[in-house]
């Protein structure tokens, strides 16, 4: 058995431990073989040496997060626990040397002052590659933050006046439901497909300001089909759920990009809703555009999942099942 004692300095213990000790309880559940006790500004960890080391690293990173952001969200701790699990399976150190110990670079602050950060290696690669390339493809499973990170980058570019508008597009492909049977006019039929983009924006921009920007088309959310025939200058353009774009649609979208514009295309090639005989444009584009300067591909995996920890396990299970079938 091993024992470690950590001292909390410059932050309130409640920030580190969570209200009603929710963060502490989450750590307890993740490491059942350890005993973690907190008294005042002191945290004591008792248990097997490897687990004690992992818990100590997590708590030290939580302290850094709290000092930088003034708070710790449950998703932050979930990400740290996922990283700890990954490092244990790979027998590698949880974090890189000190210069890379930051679990996420701040992309921007929301209107409430909350920091939006790139929390995983894949998300940080999206941020880095987007700064160096005009067109970026972010490909990976659900829950890896592809869309959210991309929207945050677009909002930052608009706030910094690097672009004059944001355009968010999605293919309106039916996934089991027929559009014709949905209630309402065309806009009301299409809006459910675009809802995840509205959700992301509403977290980042004050409601009144967002309404104004949507009304003035400073921010535009539209089905992919509406992009045909346009030239998109001075814009940050995002094509989300691109696995549901056909080859023709993908070519159409990419050739809309105009002067001083940047584009991020996101998607999960394992979840296409296209007819079985129709190839996804996101699948074929990887063979067509590889090696072109100014175009980058970032691949995320289950280790980048920032939703409930079971999402990562579900993705892993599906991958094993599909590999067995192959």
């Amino acid at each position: 058995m091993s024992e470690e004692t950590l001292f909390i300095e410059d932050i309130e213990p409640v920030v580190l431990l969570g209200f009603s000790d929710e963060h502490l309880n989450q750590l307890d559940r993740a490491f059942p073989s350890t005993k973690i006790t907190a008294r005042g500004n002191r945290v004591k960890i008792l248990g097997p040496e490897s687990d004690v080391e992992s818990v100590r690293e997590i708590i030290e990173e939580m302290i850094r997060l709290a000092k930088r952001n003034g708070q710790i969200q449950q998703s932050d701790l979930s990400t740290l626990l996922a990283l700890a699990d990954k490092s244990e399976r790979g027998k590698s150190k949880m974090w890189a040397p000190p210069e890379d110990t930051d679990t996420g670079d701040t992309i921007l602050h929301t209107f409430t002052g909350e920091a939006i950060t790139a929390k995983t290696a894949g998300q940080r690669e999206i941020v880095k590659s987007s700064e160096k390339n005009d067109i970026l493809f972010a490909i990976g499973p659900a829950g890896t933050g592809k869309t959210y990170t991309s929207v945050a980058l677009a909002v930052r570019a608009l706030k910094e006046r690097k672009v004059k508008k944001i355009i968010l597009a999605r293919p309106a492909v039916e996934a089991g439901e027929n559009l014709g049977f949905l209630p309402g006019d065309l806009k009301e039929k299409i809006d459910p497909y675009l809802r995840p983009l509205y959700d992301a924006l509403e977290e980042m921009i004050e409601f009144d300001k967002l309404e104004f920007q949507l009304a003035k088309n400073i921010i535009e959310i539209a089905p992919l089909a509406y992009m045909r025939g346009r030239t998109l200058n001075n814009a940050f353009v995002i094509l989300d759920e691109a696995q549901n774009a056909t080859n023709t649609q993908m070519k159409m979208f990419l050739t809309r990009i105009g002067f001083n514009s940047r584009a991020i295309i996101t998607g999960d090639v394992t979840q296409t809703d296209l007819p079985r005989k129709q190839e996804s444009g996101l699948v074929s584009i990887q063979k067509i555009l590889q090696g072109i300067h100014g175009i980058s591909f970032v691949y995320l995996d289950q280790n980048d999942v920032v939703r409930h920890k079971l999402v990562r396990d579900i993705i892993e299970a599906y991958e094993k099942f599909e590999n067995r079938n192959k």
Side-chain angles (χ1 to χ4, degrees):
M1 296 290 279
S2 178
E3 183 178 314
E4 289 249 12
T5 300
L6 295 173
F7 293 91
I8 307 168
E9 297 177 355
D10 302 327
I11 58 170
E12 290 292 328
V14 69
V15 174
L16 180 72
L17 305 175
F19 292 107
S20 302
D21 290 341
E22 59 179 343
H23 299 329
L24 186 62
N25 294 334
Q26 193 174 349
L27 274 172
D28 272 331
R29 289 193 297 271
F31 294 91
S33 60
T34 63
K35 184 179 180 182
I36 309 168
T37 55
R39 294 285 184 274
N41 69 336
R42 182 181 303 178
V43 178
K44 185 183 286 187
I45 312 157
L46 179 67
E49 186 176 349
S50 60
D51 284 355
V52 167
E53 184 182 350
S54 293
V55 173
R56 176 182 55 77
E57 287 187 3
I58 289 172
I59 292 175
E60 286 174 347
E61 198 62 27
M62 289 168 68
I63 291 170
R64 278 191 282 270
L65 273 173
K67 286 180 178 178
R68 189 181 67 235
N69 299 337
Q71 62 178 339
I72 298 171
Q73 297 182 36
Q74 191 172 2
S75 59
D76 294 327
L77 182 50
S78 296
T79 300
L80 294 175
L81 290 170
L83 288 169
D85 182 48
K86 178 187 174 186
S87 68
E88 176 60 26
R89 283 185 279 122
K91 300 301 178 186
S92 61
K93 188 165 174 62
M94 196 184 308
W95 286 283
E99 62 267 26
D100 291 325
T101 53
D102 196 348
T103 58
D105 301 321
T106 300
I107 300 171
L108 80 156
H109 288 85
T110 68
F111 64 94
T112 60
E114 182 183 335
I116 294 176
T117 61
K119 292 186 172 116
T120 69
Q123 290 178 14
R124 286 196 290 274
E125 188 58 33
I126 289 175
V127 175
K128 230 188 300 184
S129 294
S130 175
E131 290 168 354
K132 296 176 183 175
N133 299 276
D134 290 337
I135 297 177
L136 167 68
F137 291 85
I139 301 171
T144 50
K146 306 180 299 293
T147 302
Y148 195 79
T149 303
S150 301
V151 172
L153 288 168
V155 172
R156 183 177 75 178
L158 184 66
K159 283 185 173 183
E160 293 175 352
R161 300 188 179 180
K162 291 180 179 176
V163 296
K164 292 184 177 177
K165 69 182 303 180
I166 295 172
I167 299 172
L168 308 173
R170 264 190 167 203
V173 175
E174 296 169 7
E177 302 88 6
N178 192 307
L179 272 174
F181 289 97
L182 292 175
D185 59 20
L186 181 60
K187 182 181 184 303
E188 290 169 328
K189 289 175 189 287
I190 287 170
D191 267 359
Y193 291 95
L194 308 175
R195 188 68 247 172
L197 300 173
Y198 285 106
D199 290 342
L201 286 169
E202 285 168 2
E203 286 191 33
M204 300 176 198
I205 303 173
E206 195 171 359
F207 179 78
D208 291 342
K209 191 170 185 180
L210 178 59
E211 287 288 295
F212 172 81
Q213 290 174 332
L214 287 168
K216 295 293 183 182
N217 276 337
I218 297 169
I219 296 177
E220 183 181 346
I221 305 176
L224 174 58
Y226 285 22
M227 299 296 106
R228 190 173 298 278
R230 301 178 62 181
T231 302
L232 309 173
N233 294 319
N234 298 305
F236 200 118
V237 192
I238 296 172
L239 174 58
D240 192 37
E241 296 288 333
Q243 75 275 4
N244 290 329
T246 64
N247 283 317
T248 303
Q249 287 175 323
M250 183 66 76
K251 181 180 178 182
M252 178 272 291
F253 174 80
L254 292 172
T255 53
R256 300 306 94 204
I257 309 301
F259 294 109
N260 190 41
S261 286
R262 297 159 65 188
I264 298 181
I265 298 92
T266 72
D268 176 3
V269 291
T270 68
Q271 293 198 47
T272 177
D273 295 315
L274 291 169
R276 188 165 292 180
K277 291 182 180 179
Q278 199 161 33
E279 186 180 22
S280 164
L282 189 61
V283 172
S284 55
I285 206 70
Q286 297 172 69
K287 308 165 198 167
I288 297 167
L289 298 185
Q290 283 286 1
I292 296 179
H293 182 70
I295 298 177
S296 176
F297 289 82
V298 173
Y299 295 92
L300 301 94
D301 59 28
Q302 66 270 19
N303 295 309
D304 294 298
V305 170
V306 290
R307 292 183 186 167
H308 193 288
K309 68 181 183 67
L310 284 177
V311 174
R312 181 164 52 89
D313 296 336
I314 289 166
I315 291 166
E316 209 166 55
Y318 266 100
E319 283 184 356
K320 287 177 183 175
F321 175 76
E322 287 161 3
N323 289 334
R324 280 200 304 270
N325 284 347
K326 285 177 184 176

